[in-house]
Amino acid sequence: MSQSATAHSSTAPHYFVPQPSTWPIFGSFALLFMALGTTLWMNDVGWGKFVLIGGLCILFYMLFGWFGTVIGESEGGLYSKRVDISFRWSMGWFIFSEVMFFAAFFGVLFYMRVLSVPDLGSLDNRLLWPEFTSSWPVAGPGIRESFQTIPAFGLPAINTMLLLASGITITLAHWALLADNRPALVRWMIATIALGTVFLFVQGYEYAHAWRDLNLQLDMGAYGATFFMLTGFHGFHVTIGTIMLIVITFRCAKGHFTPENHFGFEGVAWYWHFVDVVWLLLFVVVYAL
Amino acid sequence: MQATHSHLAVHDHGAHAQPTGLMRWITTTNHKDIGTMYLWFSFTMFLVGGILALLLRSELFQPGLQLVEPEVFNQLTTMHGVIMVFGAIMPAFVGFANWMIPLQIGAADMAFARMNNWSFWLLPPAALLLVISFFVPGGAAAGGWTLYPPLSVQMGPGMDLAIFALHILGASSIMGSINIVTTILNMRAPGMTLMKMPLFCWTWLITAYLLIAVMPVLAGAITMILTDRHFDTHFFNAAGGGDPVLFQHVFWFFGHPEVYIMILPAFGIVSEIIPAFARKPLFGYTSMVYATSSIAILSFIVWAHHMFTVGMPATAQLFFMYATMLIAVPTGVKVFNWVATMWKGSMTFETPMLFACGFIFVFTMGGFTGLILAITPIDIQLHDTYFVVAHFHYVLVAGSLFALFAGVYYWLPKWTGHMYNETLGKAHFWLSVIFFNITFFVQHFLGLAGMPRRVPDYALQFADFNMISTIGAFGFGFTQLLFLYIVVSCIRGGEKAGDKPWEGAQGLEWTVPSPAPYHTFEVPPVVR
């Protein structure tokens, strides 16, 4: 400590270490109640859902408070360049963890299409499932009901266009921010949110149509499970991304961010591009192929 | 200008408004506080998991069923595994990371101090969920820590609680790992280049990368179990085009990197201790870094060696067999480097060094049995026998746990400002290593003779070795109370420790006073 404590102090960027905080413990209680409530609810204990809702309320309270604190610290000028770099690294690694989460489900889809379904239709399983022949899309040898799939070049193609367009509008918003053109920034952000919201509505409509008219449901074996889990988790991420966009837009409108310093904006943009890329993969391997 | 300004603001703030008592620990953003909580939590879980293990060994003391029902035995087996892996070993290493990484790289704290607090405080709710699961209808999860379907799809609400506990622990691990990676990549003191960094930081950097890569995959796997259980999906059900083996693939894609997650930081600790007590720089630092990276990369392409008996094409079996054996190369590099570090060193054998040397001997034995198990035809014979149990306890107990003990004794003077009782420390080592071998060495013979694991009863010819193993297990368990006594008495008093109590120790952590002040390196040191 002593060896250089003074030599460096004028040039070394000080690193912001936050004060003790009660937000984390709220988050812990939230997740505890959510886990307990969901377990009770799934096992047919009716009041479990109230425990779950209670947990969710605590979670939203925590998220509001915690992010509010961070925004306050950021606007208060407490975050140096080095803190900014920390945020960049961490957002990158967080998105990497999300990539791995989706990779697991893409791997499952690959395994079912290429390995387990053909195997069930092969000679090895003829004794057990004599009538089953391997094909795709398919529910599986033990499921008698039939279902139809959603053609790729209908609503899914429109959704692809919507998300690709939102990738463009958020980039235009970023350029407007860099040019310090606040009205254009807010306009392009609102356009991005609108595209994301329309995407979600189209996806919701498609789900209702699949569930009711096409008999494509979660219990439709290999296709039903992979279809709904992949598109469902993607839709969940688009929802989170849209909420993030809304928060950022309010901040833009309030005058937060500068052309030099706006990691909060960029982090959301990275995340939005990530859900966009996942959708492109989904469009190809779930809908088109 | 801005930096100076914020410095003052924070400093002013820090002087007062520090919560005391319980609130200090609940709200803390200090890496030392959080590291301490991680270490105490993991030790508590270690005792809980140890009690479960002793219940298992008591049942296995004699053939026949005498103590617990078979389904309770299955719950004990499962929860022993889950608690030891996710509750004891992993949090203990994170505790070391919290305490030591900022001190070793000259950082004021972790990169995200508040998130660091949450990473820790997610552990008690998860532990609570696991404890509650013993008391719900059907009892705790009982399908083994690997949660294989169809068992895990059929069980009662205890499995749901275990799944949510794992989700929460996974979230904690991902946040902790992002924190560690960011701290190491962004907060090193000026002059502390990556290749000057202590090896403990290097091993943790790579471990954190593995955690970020595979914890989400585990989350996906257990989510599919959950939807198969409650939402009518057929991921693991052949009637719906799924496959129970699919779960094994996804699980072990997480699970094999996971075992390196539990050993790489141990390599790091041992690589700090051996040079200190051999009074020589670590032999082959660069090769150590590359070996650690190679192990991490290879860990992604070996997972199916856990599944040689489920029916895979011979090509796949050969691939996974050879890929697994390849890991012996970088691991061998490490063992040779440690031995070469000791070569012609002026060595002394204080407790940390004893545990480090014990680690090399006993961990290497576990490595050799790992090589044996990597050979597909042999593994088909030994799969799910006590040989496997012996193998992974040699690498997990004598590997990870001994390295953790070594690390505790090595840094305890820095943490507490006192020296621990050297005589008792040595006694702890010798009792541990002897009882460990009494417990687990005989299990090799049991496995070779065909005793299956996870079964509460056994054929009469296995009686003698099981009795020996149980005696060893109780000895090992009670020895750990000695460890608790040593640590507590070291915290409460003892000989004053100097800033650098170990003559040959290297690194920035020895430049701060003992005990390390609450805030260190608020101004980064310069490393030359």
Side-chain angles (χ1 to χ4, degrees):
Chain A
M1 175 111 194
S2 55
Q3 60 196 35
S4 58
T6 47
H8 210 67
S9 55
S10 54
T11 50
H14 178 80
Y15 197 87
F16 174 72
V17 179
Q19 288 304 301
S21 169
T22 50
W23 294 121
I25 199 71
F26 278 103
S28 297
F29 274 108
L31 293 194
L32 177 65
F33 290 146
M34 285 164 67
L36 285 174
T38 313
T39 304
L40 290 166
W41 188 31
M42 288 187 313
N43 291 283
D44 303 320
V45 182
W47 50 271
K49 58 175 163 296
F50 300 111
V51 181
L52 169 62
I53 291 167
L56 279 168
C57 290
I58 303 174
L59 184 74
F60 287 125
Y61 173 69
M62 179 278 268
L63 290 172
F64 252 85
W66 194 330
F67 278 105
T69 309
V70 172
I71 291 167
E73 285 165 359
S74 173
E75 291 301 309
L78 294 176
Y79 293 165
S80 60
K81 183 73 196 148
R82 190 155 280 243
V83 178
D84 190 70
I85 295 170
S86 281
F87 280 128
R88 283 164 197 279
W89 275 118
S90 64
M91 193 66 194
W93 285 100
F94 171 65
I95 290 175
F96 173 58
S97 81
E98 295 271 51
V99 167
M100 292 307 290
F101 181 77
F102 277 99
F105 287 97
F106 279 113
V108 166
L109 175 61
F110 171 83
Y111 185 95
M112 282 183 153
R113 275 189 80 160
V114 178
L115 294 167
S116 71
V117 168
D119 191 47
L120 286 165
S122 73
L123 200 58
D124 288 351
N125 288 292
R126 198 42 53 85
L127 196 63
L128 203 55
W129 315 104
E131 288 113 61
F132 183 70
T133 45
S134 165
S135 62
W136 192 269
V138 74
I143 295 173
R144 295 270 168 264
E145 286 178 76
S146 64
F147 66 92
Q148 289 168 285
T149 56
I150 290 160
F153 290 95
L155 289 181
I158 292 172
N159 259 349
T160 308
M161 291 304 144
L162 288 171
L163 275 195
L164 285 177
S166 76
I168 296 168
T169 52
I170 200 168
T171 305
L172 291 171
H174 193 192
W175 288 351
L177 174 55
L178 290 175
D180 214 3
N181 184 349
R182 199 88 17 195
L185 164 63
V186 176
R187 268 202 308 279
W188 287 121
M189 284 306 291
I190 291 172
T192 313
I193 294 168
L195 289 166
T197 314
V198 174
F199 172 92
L200 286 171
F201 271 107
V202 173
Q203 192 74 345
Y205 174 79
E206 184 194 279
Y207 268 23
H209 173 60
W211 202 274
R212 266 191 266 116
D213 309 330
L214 305 180
N215 198 33
L216 174 54
Q217 298 179 1
L218 203 51
D219 61 359
M220 276 300 138
Y223 191 85
T226 50
F227 173 81
F228 279 107
M229 290 294 261
L230 273 164
T231 57
F233 273 118
H234 175 263
F236 177 63
H237 281 74
V238 175
T239 311
I240 293 175
T242 308
I243 294 169
M244 287 157 67
L245 288 172
I246 292 171
V247 172
I248 291 299
T249 307
F250 274 110
R251 291 188 62 191
C252 293
K254 268 186 90 175
H256 291 190
F257 307 127
T258 62
E260 299 79 34
N261 209 345
H262 51 265
F263 176 70
F265 179 93
E266 281 178 281
V268 174
W270 293 359
Y271 192 81
W272 193 251
H273 289 310
F274 155 72
V275 297
D276 201 357
V277 171
V278 172
W279 173 261
L280 289 179
L281 278 173
L282 279 179
F283 181 69
V284 174
V285 301
V286 176
Y287 292 98
L289 288 179
Chain B
M1 180 62 211
Q2 183 171 310
T4 337
H5 179 76
S6 63
H7 184 185
L8 291 174
V10 174
H11 216 266
D12 274 1
H13 228 67
H16 24 91
Q18 289 290 341
T20 52
L22 185 62
M23 284 313 280
R24 166 185 167 187
W25 299 99
I26 289 177
T27 62
T28 183
T29 49
N30 181 287
H31 72 102
K32 301 183 184 80
D33 280 353
I34 294 169
T36 304
M37 289 195 292
Y38 262 110
L39 291 170
W40 278 114
F41 175 85
S42 62
F43 189 72
T44 313
M45 286 294 114
F46 172 63
L47 293 184
V48 173
I51 289 166
L52 301 183
L54 292 184
L55 286 170
L56 294 171
R57 281 316 318 171
S58 306
E59 174 59 53
L60 293 167
F61 185 62
Q62 286 185 322
L65 295 176
Q66 39 257 326
L67 203 66
V68 292
E69 297 294 312
E71 57 269 28
V72 176
F73 186 89
N74 290 345
Q75 295 172 29
L76 295 175
T77 317
T78 306
M79 299 311 273
H80 166 70
V82 170
I83 287 175
M84 286 303 200
V85 168
F86 294 100
I89 299 289
M90 288 169 67
F93 281 122
V94 184
F96 274 88
N98 263 295
W99 250 102
M100 300 321 299
I101 286 174
L103 283 179
Q104 287 192 327
I105 63 173
D109 206 297
M110 299 292 283
F112 301 104
R114 217 163 14 209
M115 185 169 82
N116 200 18
N117 174 301
W118 202 26
S119 300
F120 171 76
W121 279 106
L122 282 176
L123 302 181
L128 191 64
L129 290 174
L130 291 177
V131 171
I132 291 172
S133 75
F134 274 103
F135 304 100
V136 298
W145 83 281
T146 50
L147 308 177
Y148 279 5
L151 276 179
S152 53
V153 175
Q154 293 160 353
M155 278 164 191
M159 181 58 69
D160 298 323
L161 289 169
I163 286 171
F164 286 129
L166 287 179
H167 271 307
I168 293 175
L169 291 167
S172 158
S173 285
I174 290 170
M175 285 192 288
S177 302
I178 289 176
N179 218 336
I180 288 168
V181 171
T182 307
T183 306
I184 291 175
L185 292 179
N186 192 35
M187 312 247 317
R188 280 169 286 122
M192 175 69 80
T193 59
L194 282 174
M195 291 311 273
K196 273 187 196 166
M197 214 163 55
L199 216 72
F200 178 67
C201 299
W202 254 113
T203 54
W204 243 118
L205 176 64
I206 292 163
T207 302
Y209 156 71
L210 287 178
L211 274 165
I212 299 169
V214 300
M215 288 314 279
V217 177
L218 174 69
I222 58 181
T223 303
M224 287 185 277
I225 294 271
L226 197 73
T227 57
D228 267 18
R229 286 169 58 78
H230 294 290
F231 301 103
D232 299 328
T233 58
H234 295 80
F235 286 111
F236 309 128
N237 182 349
D243 187 353
V245 176
L246 169 58
F247 178 84
Q248 300 186 20
H249 281 292
V250 183
F251 179 86
W252 285 114
F253 186 84
F254 147 80
H256 204 76
E258 167 69 15
V259 306
Y260 295 115
I261 286 163
M262 291 188 286
I263 201 65
L264 292 182
F267 290 168
I269 291 174
V270 169
S271 304
E272 301 287 310
I273 290 171
I274 286 177
F277 294 91
R279 292 163 181 81
K280 268 180 65 192
L282 183 69
F283 182 89
Y285 174 91
T286 314
S287 66
M288 284 299 221
V289 172
Y290 284 112
T292 312
S293 313
S294 316
I295 293 172
I297 290 161
L298 284 172
S299 76
F300 286 108
I301 53 163
V302 298
W303 76 88
H305 67 213
H306 297 270
M307 305 162 53
F308 280 148
T309 59
V310 299
M312 274 190 298
T315 340
Q317 291 187 324
L318 284 172
F319 171 79
F320 285 109
M321 172 170 100
Y322 289 129
T324 305
M325 292 172 135
L326 213 54
I327 291 189
V329 177
T331 316
V333 167
K334 288 188 160 289
V335 174
F336 285 122
N337 278 347
W338 290 322
V339 175
T341 306
M342 289 193 251
W343 179 254
K344 290 187 175 175
S346 52
M347 291 201 284
T348 51
F349 292 92
E350 287 88 347
T351 311
M353 184 63 166
L354 282 177
F355 269 108
C357 294
F359 167 92
I360 295 180
F361 272 101
V362 197
F363 170 80
T364 305
M365 282 181 60
F368 285 143
T369 53
L371 269 177
I372 293 168
L373 288 170
I375 302 166
T376 312
I378 298 182
D379 183 77
I380 288 169
Q381 292 292 310
L382 295 177
H383 185 87
D384 258 345
T385 68
Y386 264 83
F387 193 85
V388 176
V389 176
H391 156 69
F392 71 72
H393 282 91
Y394 264 76
V395 287
L396 255 177
V397 179
S400 308
L401 185 65
F402 277 18
L404 285 164
F405 285 145
V408 169
Y409 286 112
Y410 184 57
W411 284 306
L412 206 49
K414 183 55 64 189
W415 297 341
T416 65
H418 302 290
M419 297 306 288
Y420 59 87
N421 184 323
E422 190 64 59
T423 316
L424 289 180
K426 283 181 171 148
H428 175 221
F429 167 73
W430 287 110
L431 289 170
S432 288
V433 80
I434 289 167
F435 280 126
F436 169 80
N437 280 293
I438 293 174
T439 311
F440 292 108
F441 197 75
V442 292
Q443 293 186 359
H444 292 113
F445 306 135
L446 287 170
L448 288 169
M451 179 172 165
R453 68 175 174 144
R454 293 171 169 170
V455 179
D457 193 6
Y458 48 81
L460 289 180
Q461 74 261 29
F462 302 131
D464 292 349
F465 283 141
N466 269 296
M467 191 174 279
I468 293 169
S469 182
T470 299
I471 292 168
F474 273 86
F476 188 83
F478 285 113
T479 302
Q480 305 324 315
L481 297 178
L482 177 62
F483 173 67
L484 178 63
Y485 172 78
I486 295 168
V487 171
V488 170
S489 48
C490 178
I491 293 169
R492 302 178 75 177
E495 190 194 328
K496 287 294 281 172
D499 292 359
K500 197 175 107 169
W502 313 114
E503 185 192 10
Q506 298 290 327
L508 285 177
E509 74 260 41
W510 308 110
T511 63
V512 302
S514 297
Y518 198 60
H519 295 292
T520 38
F521 299 131
E522 283 179 292
V523 175
V526 176
V527 180
R528 279 177 297 273

